[in-house]
Amino acid sequence: MTTLRDRALDSAIDLLGTEGLRSLTHARVDDRAGIARGSTSNYFRTRDALLAGVAQRILEREMPDVGTAFAPVSADELVDAVAALVRHTTTVQRTLTTARLVLFMEASHDPALRATLSSGRHAMEAQVVPVLASLGSTDPVTGAAALMACAEGLILHRIARGDETDPRPALELVTRAALA
């Protein structure tokens, strides 16, 4: 069962992902969530607290998918898995991903928000490092960082520019380099 707090956060994600940062007010979140005026501010007294709550909620919604289906046993399977991630985050989870990208820019001058968002990146990299190691990478940590940076760039271009280019060629190139 979804709590009122989670409804407020999910509505805030929807606002960020569809209308941008300026749309995010406590009153608009209340309206979008269909909850009593003042409810969001009861949970999140300040805008910064609301942004922190949204960042944490995004992680909660994204992270269950990370470890469950990620166990590639070849370079081709790794490329397929990351390409599928790029497609999923830019189609099925487009609004959530857009909200996360909006928060990335805000995090450039908000250390607490940056730390929360960075924890998600570290969790993703932590899934890739052992896969690259098992595939023979001599530097799986750097390889994972490069592969995740490539995926993030592809995601950003799909969301911000509407770029529907096949992600596989770029991912294959970075994966080959990570395994060299």
Side-chain angles (χ1 to χ4, degrees), residues 110-128:
D110 183 334
L113 188 56
R114 185 178 320 121
T116 300
L117 293 170
S118 293
S119 70
R121 166 68 183 263
H122 296 308
M124 292 293 291
E125 282 183 20
Q127 296 291 318
V128 176

Side-chain angles (χ1 to χ4, degrees), residues 15-34:
L15 279 168
L16 284 173
T18 59
E19 298 181 35
L21 188 61
R22 283 195 257 181
S23 71
L24 190 68
T25 67
H26 289 81
R28 292 208 56 210
V29 172
D30 290 340
D31 290 344
R32 179 74 55 110

Side-chain angles (χ1 to χ4, degrees), residues 69-70 72 75-90 124 127-128 131-132 144 146-152 154-155 158 167-168 170-172 174-175:
F70 195 73
D76 286 339
E77 283 186 20
L78 176 58
V79 169
D80 288 343
V82 179
L85 173 70
V86 169
R87 282 189 297 277
H88 181 75
T89 59
T90 59
M124 292 293 291
Q127 296 291 318
V128 176
V131 171
L132 289 175
L147 186 56
M148 293 311 303
C150 180
E152 285 178 336
L154 292 166
I155 290 167
R158 282 178 164 238
R168 286 189 53 80
L171 294 170
E172 287 172 353
V174 173
T175 300

Side-chain angles (χ1 to χ4, degrees), residues 9-82:
L9 290 172
D10 290 340
S11 294
I13 290 168
D14 188 58
L15 279 168
L16 284 173
T18 59
E19 298 181 35
L21 188 61
R22 283 195 257 181
S23 71
L24 190 68
T25 67
H26 289 81
R28 292 208 56 210
V29 172
D30 290 340
D31 290 344
R32 179 74 55 110
I35 57 180
R37 283 277 172 122
S39 296
T40 300
S41 64
N42 284 335
Y43 293 111
F44 307 99
R45 287 300 208 199
T46 65
R47 182 177 175 81
D48 287 344
L50 179 57
L51 289 172
V54 168
Q56 189 59 47
R57 180 69 174 160
I58 288 172
L59 290 177
E60 290 169 9
R61 287 178 51 184
E62 287 181 328
M63 296 324 288
D65 295 336
V66 172
T68 56
F70 195 73
V73 295
S74 70
D76 286 339
E77 283 186 20
L78 176 58
V79 169
D80 288 343
V82 179

Side-chain angles (χ1 to χ4, degrees), residues 125 128-134 136-147 178-179:
E125 282 183 20
V128 176
V129 170
V131 171
L132 289 175
S134 72
S137 174
T138 57
D139 188 358
V141 172
T142 302
L147 186 56
L179 294 174

Side-chain angles (χ1 to χ4, degrees), residues 99-111:
R100 181 169 32 84
L101 292 173
V102 168
L103 291 180
F104 278 0
M105 296 313 297
E106 188 68 16
S108 69
H109 54 271
D110 183 334

